[in-house]
Amino acid sequence: MKKWLLAVAVASALAGCSADTTAVQAQATKVAATKLPAGVSLVESYAPKAGEIGIPFKKYQLANGLTVVLHQDHSDPLVTVNVTYHVGSDREHYGRTGFAHLFEHMMFQGSQHVADEQHIKVVTEAGGSMNGTTNTDRTNYYESVPSNQLEKMLWLESDRMGFLLPALTDKKFEVQRETVKNERAQRVDNRPYGRLDELFNQAFYPEGHPYSWPVIGWPADLDRATTQDVKDFFRRWYGPNNATLTIGGDIDEAQTLAWVSKYFADIPRGPEVKPLAKPLVSLDKTRYISMEDNVHLPLLQIGFPTVYANHADEPALDLLASILGGGKTSIIYKNLVKNGYAVQAAMNHPCSELACKLTVYALANPAKGAALAPLEAKIRESIAEFETRGVTDEDLQKAKAQFRSDNIFSLQSVFGKVSRLASYETFNGDPNGISADLARYNAVTKADVMRVYEKYLKNKPSVVMSVVPKGGNALIAAPDNYAPTSPKVADRAVEGLTANTTAAPKSQFDRTVMPPVAGAVSLHVPSLWNSKLANNIEVMGTQSTETPTTDIMVYFNGGHRIEPIAKSGLAELTADVLNESTQRHSAEALTQALELLGATIEFSADKYQSSLRISTLTENLDKTMALVQEKLLEPGFVAADFNRNKQQSLQTLQHLSSDPEYMSRKGFAKLLFGDKVSIGVSSDGTLDTLSKLTLDDVKQFYLQQYTAGNAQVVAVSDLPQQQLLTKLAPLARLTGAATPLPTQNQLPTIKGDTVYLIDKPDAAQSVILIGKRTMPFDATGDYFKANLANYPLGGAFNSRINLNLREDKGYTYGARSAFVGGTEYGYFAAMGNVRADVTDKALAEFMKEITQFHKSGMTADELAFMRSSISQGKAMDYETPYKKAGFIREIQKYRLPYDYIEKQDELVNNVSATELNAIAAKYLDPHSMDVLIVGDKAKIKPGLEVLGYKVVDMNL
C-alpha cells in the first residue's frame, strides 16, 4: 500500500514492549518541569499509554521559530539528527527549476566556520553516516553518529543554517551544478525509462503546477541559474522558522536542549512562509502521450488525479489501489501478469503534500505481443472488474494486518523514528500524527472504497503514456493528442525577499572552535548463541527485545556456483518457482494467508547460495512457520508457474541489456573471471541458457540445493533461544546431504593497460570500471588490511578519488574503489559513471590517483582519519535486527571466532601506515589492472587511444 503500510507509525512495539509506561510519562513530566534555556518553550510532551501506538517525544520551539522535537532511545549508543526544511521543488517557478535539489548539494560545501569538505569529513571521521534528500515538498539533512558526537553535529547543522552564505563561492556553485548534471545523466538520461515520470507529470498537472517539473530540474534551467539565485533561495526558505530539528537516540534531554539553544538561538528568523494552495487536479479528457527510448520492453503507464496527502479520501484510495494492483492477490496481477500479457504490472497511490494520483503501469510481454493498446484495454477491463468484485472483509483485514506489522517493523531504527517525527511535524504540525493515521485508516469501510472508485476512477479521464523501443512508434497505445506548453520563464528564481533578510547573524561565542567529544561510547555487541536442529542444521542467533518481531534467514550453500555453466540462471529460476504454488495451495492463496499475518516468506538465489527469508511478528510465528513448511517441503512445481517465471526472466534480461550499470557488471565479471567459470557468468543466466531450462531442471536443482546438509540458519527474535528453537521444527524436517562445489576452470590472464569497450550508442555517461583479481575474504589478514588501505583512496566520500572526480572536476556524481572478497575469489575495483565528454580525462584522473597511492600510500592524517572513522563507526553496526543478522551471518559463513570484532579493532588502532602502504604497493599497481568502459564508442574511443591504451571492443 504505500507510505502508511511501509513506515508510518513508529511505536507499536515501543508501547507494547515498554515495561513501565508510567515511568516514561513521569519522566516527561519531570523534564517539562525543568527550567528551560532562555527563549525555549515546551509546546507538547507525549508518551504512549500501555497498548497505544506512538513515539514518545517532546516538542519545543525557539524564539526564532525553530521547532525542535526530541526522542529518547537508550537501546544503542547512537543518535540521529534530522533538519527538515519545508521547501522542495514546489516552491520553484517555471524556467527556474532544480534550485531545491541544487541547494541540497550546496549545503555540504562548507560554511563560514566549517571549511570546505569539512562537514562530510567530520561526520565520517566520527564514524557516522549522513546525507540529504529533496522531494517536491521538503528538503532534509541528517546524520547518524555515535551519541558522544551529538554536540558536534549540532555545531555543523547550525553553522550551515545560519552562516552558509559567506562561504558560497562561484567556484563551488559551478562544481555542484556539474555534479547535479551528472546525477541527472546517471539517474535520468542514461537509464531506461529514466524520463518517464518527468514527461508524464507535464501532461498530468496543469501548466505551471509545482509538480509539473522534475525535482532535479530541467537541464536548461540548471544552466540558467546563477550564484545569486542560489543565495536568494537560501535567504527565502532556509530560515529557522521554516525548519524542524528532530533529534533521537541515546540523548540527555536537558543537555541536548542546552546545546540546541547555544547553537541555533542566535540565528534570525527568515521571511514568513505561507502554505501553498491545494486545488484538486482535474483532466478535461484522456491525454495520450508517448516517447521512444533505448529499451526492450514497451511500457504503459496510466494515471488518474485524486486528492492530496491527509485528505479524508486518501485511505480508501490506498486500499482501492491495493485491491486493483497491489501484488499477487490483485486483479491487475491476475489479468496481466499471471495471464502472461505483462512481465510486471502494479497500481499504487503515491501522495504528496499538494496532490496524489492513482497510477498503474505494465511492462508488455512480447511473447503475447508488444503492442500497448491491448494492454490498455486489459487494464481498463480490470478496473471495470473491480466494480463487480467489490470489497471483501478480507481486504480490510489484510490492510489492517499489514498496517500493524509494518508499523512495528519500522520501530527497528532510531533513524526511522526520527524521520517519521520530522515528517509529521513538517506536514501536519504535530509529531504525533500516528494516532490520527491509525484512526482514519482503521475507519475505512467497504462502502468508502466503492465511493472513491466511483468518484475518482470510474469512467474518469486519465493520462496514458507509452514508452516504446527506438523505431517502435507503431506499438503505442494511441496517437498522441496532447503536447505540453511552455509558460513564460520566470523573471526571478525567488520572490518574497525583504531587505532585512540580507543581514548576517551575529554569534555570541566563537563558532570556529569545533566542540569537544564526550567520552567513548560502549558498544552493544549482540550476545550470540549457537545450536543445531534435530537434522543437524546449524542455527546461530541472538535475542533482540526492542520489537516483538522475528527474522529468520535459511542459507543453502550452492546457488549459482553449483549449477552447470550451460544452465546458468537455474538457481534463481528455481527460487522464483518456489515463491509460487505448493502442492496444496495456489500462489494467490498463500500470498493472501501471509498478508493476513503481516508476514513475508521469500526465496532467492545468488552466486554462492540460495536463501529463504522469513519475517513476521512473533505472535504469528507459528502460523508463518506452518506456511514455510508447506512452501519449502511441498513445492507445487506447476508448469504454468514455471513457464511464466521463465518468460519473465527472459524478458527482464532483454530489458537489462540496455542498462549501462548491468552491462558494466556483466562485462567486468567476464573480464576478470572469464565465461568458463560460474563467477564470471551472471547468476541471472543468459538468453541462451535460460531459454533451454526445463521444469525437470528446476525439480532436479531443488533436490540438489534445498537439503539439510547445505543449510545454515540465522535467527534474530525477541524470543529466548530455547523457545525460538522449538518454533523452527519445520526446518528440522529437511533431509539430504551437502552438495560439493564443482571444480572451476582456469581463470583468464589480466593483460593490464588495456581498455575493453562495450558500445552503448548515444550514452549520456560512460561507466568506468578499473580492476584486477585479488584475494578472497578474510577477517584480519591481507583482505581486511587492504580495505583499510583503500579507505582514503576510494572508500569514503572524502576519499582522493571522489574529491578529485566529483568535487574538484565535476566529472561524476560519485566515484569510489573497494576490495571485494568471497569464499573463493576476490577483486579490486575503482568505478564511477562520468560525463561522456570527459571519459578520457576521467580515466586519466582515476589512474593518476591509483598510481600515486600505489607509489606513496596514505599520509599520517589519512591513517588517523581511517582509524577514527572505522573504530567509532562500530557503534552503528548492531542497531537493527537486519544488522545483527548480517553480523551473525559473517561469523557463520566464514567460521570466524565470536570475538573477531575485537581483533579487528585492535588491528585498526595499531596497524602502521608502513604496513598498509606495503599492502597498497602489493595490490594496487595500475599496470596490473584492466579497464572496462560502457559508453558511446564513436565519441569516446579516440580520446582513450590518445591516452596510450590498447582499446579492445567487447561483446556481452
Side-chain angles (χ1 to χ4, degrees), residues 250-297:
D250 188 18
I251 63 173
D252 177 286
E253 291 190 10
Q255 178 62 79
T256 300
L257 274 180
W259 285 333
V260 168
S261 178
K262 174 182 178 180
Y263 291 107
F264 289 89
D266 57 10
I267 301 173
R269 295 177 67 92
E272 182 183 2
V273 177
K274 295 181 179 180
L276 290 168
K278 303 178 183 180
L280 294 184
V281 176
S282 63
L283 297 168
D284 55 349
K285 65 177 182 179
T286 292
R287 297 174 176 178
Y288 285 90
I289 58 174
S290 65
M291 67 172 286
E292 295 183 6
D293 198 2
N294 187 19
V295 297
H296 167 67
L297 299 176

XYZ file of all heavy atoms in Angstrom, residues 250-297:
385
model
N 20.227 8.072 21.942
C 20.794 7.995 23.289
C 21.201 9.395 23.747
O 22.378 9.753 23.739
C 21.992 7.048 23.257
C 22.537 6.750 24.645
O 21.813 6.975 25.635
O 23.691 6.305 24.729
N 20.208 10.195 24.140
C 20.460 11.603 24.460
C 20.065 11.912 25.897
O 19.199 11.262 26.484
C 19.686 12.548 23.520
C 18.165 12.364 23.687
C 20.101 12.331 22.077
C 17.325 13.367 22.918
N 20.710 12.921 26.448
C 20.277 13.559 27.687
C 19.488 14.798 27.260
O 20.028 15.715 26.645
C 21.492 13.955 28.527
C 21.090 14.696 29.802
O 20.707 15.883 29.695
O 21.174 14.093 30.881
N 18.200 14.833 27.580
C 17.334 15.866 27.024
C 17.733 17.271 27.484
O 17.742 18.215 26.678
C 15.882 15.579 27.375
C 15.340 14.361 26.651
C 13.840 14.213 26.819
O 13.193 15.149 27.325
O 13.312 13.161 26.434
N 18.046 17.416 28.745
C 18.400 18.748 29.243
C 19.668 19.257 28.575
O 19.749 20.409 28.148
C 18.565 18.713 30.764
N 20.678 18.395 28.472
C 21.923 18.794 27.818
C 21.697 19.086 26.336
O 22.242 20.042 25.766
C 22.979 17.695 27.978
C 24.302 17.992 27.293
C 24.990 19.225 27.856
O 25.605 19.168 28.909
N 24.885 20.349 27.171
N 20.874 18.256 25.707
C 20.600 18.453 24.282
C 19.919 19.797 24.044
O 20.275 20.534 23.114
C 19.727 17.305 23.751
O 20.414 16.068 23.929
C 19.420 17.495 22.274
N 18.943 20.141 24.879
C 18.264 21.428 24.736
C 19.231 22.590 24.939
O 19.154 23.608 24.241
C 17.116 21.530 25.721
C 15.761 20.957 25.295
C 14.748 21.150 26.403
C 15.276 21.611 24.010
N 20.130 22.440 25.874
C 21.113 23.498 26.117
C 21.993 23.700 24.881
O 22.290 24.837 24.492
C 21.964 23.156 27.336
N 22.411 22.601 24.260
C 23.212 22.714 23.044
C 22.406 23.320 21.898
O 22.911 24.141 21.138
C 23.736 21.333 22.637
C 24.869 20.840 23.480
C 25.777 21.601 24.160
C 25.221 19.479 23.726
N 26.681 20.785 24.816
C 26.366 19.474 24.560
C 24.695 18.252 23.329
C 26.982 18.302 24.996
C 25.302 17.082 23.752
C 26.428 17.104 24.577
N 21.157 22.887 21.764
C 20.313 23.435 20.702
C 20.177 24.944 20.865
O 20.303 25.718 19.907
C 18.925 22.759 20.708
C 17.950 23.523 19.816
C 19.033 21.304 20.261
N 19.938 25.385 22.103
C 19.817 26.823 22.360
C 21.118 27.546 22.030
O 21.114 28.613 21.396
C 19.439 27.060 23.821
O 19.363 28.435 24.103
N 22.232 26.963 22.427
C 23.534 27.605 22.188
C 23.791 27.803 20.699
O 24.206 28.889 20.271
C 24.643 26.756 22.802
C 26.052 27.264 22.472
C 27.120 26.357 23.076
C 28.530 26.839 22.691
N 29.585 25.967 23.273
N 23.551 26.765 19.920
C 23.971 26.797 18.523
C 22.933 27.379 17.568
O 23.294 27.872 16.485
C 24.372 25.391 18.066
C 25.644 24.918 18.720
C 25.625 23.932 19.707
C 26.862 25.481 18.380
C 26.785 23.517 20.328
C 28.039 25.072 18.994
C 27.996 24.094 19.966
O 29.161 23.706 20.577
N 21.641 27.338 17.922
C 20.611 27.762 16.977
C 19.878 29.044 17.370
O 19.276 29.682 16.508
C 19.576 26.642 16.797
C 20.076 25.448 16.035
C 20.696 24.390 16.692
C 19.935 25.375 14.660
C 21.155 23.290 15.995
C 20.385 24.272 13.945
C 21.004 23.229 14.621
N 19.895 29.411 18.648
C 19.023 30.501 19.104
C 19.389 31.845 18.485
O 18.511 32.712 18.319
C 19.062 30.599 20.626
N 20.663 32.062 18.129
C 21.038 33.377 17.608
C 20.895 33.492 16.091
O 21.295 34.500 15.495
C 22.460 33.744 18.032
C 23.498 32.722 17.590
O 23.141 31.835 16.788
O 24.658 32.815 18.029
N 20.334 32.485 15.455
C 20.078 32.561 14.012
C 18.753 33.293 13.803
O 17.719 32.866 14.327
C 20.018 31.158 13.379
C 21.334 30.416 13.615
C 19.707 31.243 11.893
C 21.313 28.968 13.176
N 18.726 34.390 13.078
C 17.489 35.166 12.945
C 16.435 34.460 12.108
O 16.738 33.617 11.258
C 17.962 36.455 12.261
C 19.218 36.077 11.564
C 19.862 35.015 12.391
N 15.175 34.810 12.348
C 14.066 34.280 11.579
C 14.241 34.637 10.109
O 14.835 35.647 9.747
C 12.736 34.867 12.050
C 12.328 34.506 13.453
C 11.029 35.221 13.809
N 9.910 34.709 13.007
C 9.123 33.714 13.408
N 9.324 33.125 14.582
N 8.134 33.315 12.639
N 13.662 33.817 9.256
C 13.597 34.138 7.839
C 12.254 34.754 7.505
O 11.413 34.979 8.388
N 12.010 35.034 6.226
C 10.717 35.587 5.818
C 9.582 34.630 6.160
O 9.778 33.423 6.321
C 10.866 35.738 4.299
C 12.334 35.764 4.048
C 12.946 34.898 5.104
N 8.396 35.175 6.264
C 7.220 34.365 6.569
C 6.973 33.366 5.442
O 7.136 33.684 4.263
C 5.992 35.248 6.735
C 4.730 34.476 7.099
C 3.512 35.375 7.183
O 3.648 36.597 6.921
O 2.411 34.859 7.478
N 6.574 32.163 5.817
C 6.281 31.109 4.843
C 4.806 30.727 4.970
O 4.356 30.322 6.044
C 7.164 29.864 5.070
C 6.790 28.762 4.092
C 8.640 30.222 4.925
N 4.076 30.875 3.896
C 2.653 30.533 3.892
C 2.438 29.229 3.144
O 3.139 28.940 2.166
C 1.849 31.654 3.234
C 1.874 32.971 3.998
C 1.027 34.017 3.292
C 1.033 35.341 4.065
N 0.215 36.375 3.391
N 1.464 28.432 3.557
C 1.190 27.170 2.851
C 0.751 27.434 1.416
O 0.132 28.452 1.105
C 0.050 26.548 3.667
C 0.077 27.249 4.983
C 0.588 28.627 4.723
N 1.074 26.484 0.547
C 0.632 26.555 -0.834
C -0.799 26.040 -0.950
O -1.233 25.187 -0.176
C 1.543 25.720 -1.736
C 2.963 26.257 -1.939
C 3.836 25.207 -2.605
C 2.938 27.532 -2.765
N -1.522 26.543 -1.911
C -2.893 26.087 -2.154
C -2.886 24.645 -2.659
O -1.901 24.183 -3.258
C -3.568 27.001 -3.167
N -3.995 23.933 -2.448
C -4.096 22.529 -2.851
C -5.336 22.287 -3.719
O -6.168 21.432 -3.391
C -4.151 21.625 -1.620
C -2.978 21.756 -0.671
C -3.161 20.852 0.537
C -2.036 21.017 1.543
N -2.221 20.140 2.731
N -5.489 22.991 -4.806
C -6.649 22.715 -5.666
C -6.535 21.314 -6.256
O -5.447 20.884 -6.665
C -6.560 23.790 -6.746
C -5.105 24.157 -6.788
C -4.605 24.026 -5.386
N -7.640 20.578 -6.288
C -7.604 19.230 -6.838
C -7.316 19.284 -8.331
O -7.848 20.117 -9.061
C -8.933 18.515 -6.589
C -9.282 18.220 -5.126
C -10.576 17.412 -5.050
C -8.159 17.470 -4.429
N -6.442 18.391 -8.772
C -6.092 18.303 -10.181
C -7.232 17.641 -10.944
O -7.855 16.691 -10.460
C -4.791 17.496 -10.364
C -4.464 17.297 -11.831
C -3.636 18.174 -9.630
N -7.522 18.144 -12.128
C -8.566 17.538 -12.954
C -8.112 17.526 -14.405
O -7.257 18.317 -14.817
C -9.885 18.301 -12.821
O -9.731 19.632 -13.289
N -8.689 16.618 -15.173
C -8.398 16.497 -16.599
C -9.692 16.653 -17.390
O -10.728 16.105 -16.993
C -7.766 15.135 -16.912
C -6.406 14.832 -16.263
C -6.069 13.355 -16.418
C -5.318 15.693 -16.880
N -9.636 17.384 -18.509
C -10.843 17.564 -19.307
C -11.126 16.355 -20.188
O -12.262 16.088 -20.558
C -10.733 18.829 -20.166
C -9.470 18.804 -21.040
O -8.610 17.928 -20.827
O -9.374 19.661 -21.936
N -10.081 15.606 -20.527
C -10.223 14.396 -21.344
C -8.984 13.535 -21.141
O -7.986 13.979 -20.547
C -10.381 14.749 -22.817
C -9.150 15.424 -23.418
C -9.335 15.678 -24.896
C -8.067 16.302 -25.512
N -8.224 16.548 -26.961
N -9.035 12.309 -21.624
C -7.872 11.433 -21.527
C -6.785 11.916 -22.489
O -7.043 12.167 -23.664
C -8.253 9.983 -21.848
O -9.111 9.498 -20.810
C -7.024 9.088 -21.933
N -5.587 12.069 -21.931
C -4.461 12.558 -22.705
C -3.513 11.403 -23.025
O -3.083 10.681 -22.124
C -3.710 13.634 -21.920
C -4.545 14.875 -21.639
C -3.794 15.852 -20.740
N -4.552 17.091 -20.553
C -4.156 18.097 -19.786
N -3.007 18.005 -19.114
N -4.895 19.190 -19.669
N -3.189 11.258 -24.307
C -2.243 10.235 -24.735
C -0.915 10.901 -25.100
O -0.883 11.877 -25.865
C -2.783 9.465 -25.941
C -3.881 8.492 -25.587
C -5.215 8.890 -25.601
C -3.580 7.186 -25.223
C -6.226 8.002 -25.266
C -4.588 6.287 -24.885
C -5.912 6.696 -24.911
O -6.908 5.815 -24.568
N 0.162 10.390 -24.544
C 1.496 10.870 -24.868
C 2.403 9.654 -25.049
O 2.090 8.547 -24.585
C 2.077 11.797 -23.777
C 2.128 11.058 -22.422
C 1.261 13.072 -23.663
C 2.835 11.864 -21.338
N 3.530 9.850 -25.705
C 4.433 8.719 -25.936
C 5.855 9.209 -26.119
O 6.103 10.397 -26.353
C 3.986 7.940 -27.184
O 4.112 8.743 -28.351
N 6.789 8.292 -25.986
C 8.193 8.586 -26.269
C 8.902 7.306 -26.675
O 8.515 6.196 -26.260
C 8.894 9.192 -25.051
C 9.040 8.245 -23.871
S 10.075 8.889 -22.522
C 11.710 8.743 -23.238
N 9.903 7.444 -27.517
C 10.779 6.335 -27.850
C 11.999 6.394 -26.945
O 12.485 7.469 -26.614
C 11.198 6.404 -29.319
C 10.043 6.221 -30.290
C 10.489 6.215 -31.743
O 11.724 6.243 -31.979
O 9.627 6.178 -32.633
N 12.480 5.227 -26.529
C 13.615 5.172 -25.615
C 14.456 3.957 -25.963
O 14.020 3.050 -26.692
C 13.101 5.079 -24.168
C 14.155 5.453 -23.129
O 15.273 5.813 -23.521
O 13.844 5.388 -21.925
N 15.657 3.909 -25.439
C 16.554 2.785 -25.669
C 16.189 1.658 -24.708
O 16.886 1.381 -23.729
C 18.008 3.218 -25.470
C 18.988 2.137 -25.866
O 18.653 1.204 -26.596
N 20.213 2.233 -25.365
N 15.035 1.022 -24.977
C 14.507 -0.024 -24.112
C 14.129 -1.234 -24.952
O 14.002 -1.146 -26.178
C 13.268 0.468 -23.323
C 13.652 1.612 -22.396
C 12.146 0.898 -24.263
N 13.917 -2.346 -24.280
C 13.459 -3.560 -24.959
C 11.961 -3.764 -24.771
O 11.248 -4.098 -25.726
C 14.215 -4.779 -24.422
C 13.602 -6.088 -24.821
N 13.578 -6.527 -26.121
C 12.961 -7.054 -24.089
C 12.963 -7.710 -26.182
N 12.593 -8.038 -24.972
N 11.484 -3.537 -23.555
C 10.080 -3.805 -23.245
C 9.242 -2.535 -23.333
O 9.530 -1.561 -22.640
C 9.947 -4.400 -21.842
C 10.649 -5.732 -21.587
C 10.492 -6.129 -20.130
C 10.080 -6.816 -22.490
